[in-house]
Amino acid sequence: MKLFVNGCSYSYGGSIFPLYDEDHRLIDFNSKSQINRERLNSVWSHHLGKHLNAQSVTNLGLSSSSNDRIVRSTVEYITNTSNTDDLFVVIQWSNPDRFEFYDEINRGWIQ
């Protein structure tokens, strides 16, 4: 079984870890920094994965996330994952007042 988690700062570990590394780069799932490795091995999704004997844990949680971002990034992840037969998904929903929109000028999503 593979565990996939998405959510806002609770899933990210926002009260424990910073959002940016020492070079002011966003620490997200793709970050190769030492801080990110420590973060991913400390947050609740890691402990749930150990408890469930998951083969892997993917945590796309990000501080200040809207439910829009959580749904969009979850659908993107599942769509781009080749084998979802044994994928277990846990979503930690955010505050409904948060939202995101696509910035045409910068060509990216903004919270």
Side-chain angles (χ1 to χ4, degrees):
M1 182 259 293
K2 297 174 282 195
L3 176 63
F4 172 83
V5 172
N6 205 347
C8 66
S9 57
Y10 292 106
S11 294
Y12 175 82
S15 61
I16 305 169
F17 290 92
L19 190 56
Y20 296 94
D21 67 14
E22 56 278 351
D23 296 324
H24 307 288
R25 291 180 302 235
L26 180 67
I27 301 171
D28 64 3
F29 176 73
N30 297 313
S31 173
K32 304 293 186 220
S33 72
Q34 178 63 30
I35 295 171
N36 194 43
R37 286 191 294 277
E38 291 173 17
R39 177 183 72 84
L40 291 172
N41 289 323
S42 300
V43 294
W44 67 265
S45 57
H46 171 77
H47 298 289
L48 179 60
K50 284 178 67 175
H51 181 73
L52 297 173
N53 293 318
Q55 297 168 337
S56 64
V57 178
T58 301
N59 180 349
L60 294 188
L62 189 61
S63 292
S64 300
S65 286
S66 65
N67 289 330
D68 297 332
R69 189 210 67 86
I70 294 166
V71 169
R72 179 183 52 76
S73 58
T74 299
V75 169
E76 286 174 359
Y77 178 84
I78 292 171
T79 301
N80 294 322
T81 299
S82 59
N83 183 2
T84 58
D85 290 343
D86 59 348
L87 185 65
F88 188 76
V89 177
V90 178
I91 302 295
Q92 174 263 307
W93 296 111
S94 180
N95 185 321
D97 295 337
R98 295 177 178 174
F99 63 94
E100 75 173 357
F101 62 93
Y102 189 78
D103 181 359
E104 293 288 342
I105 296 170
N106 294 312
R107 297 186 179 179
W109 291 98
I110 298 177
Q111 295 289 326

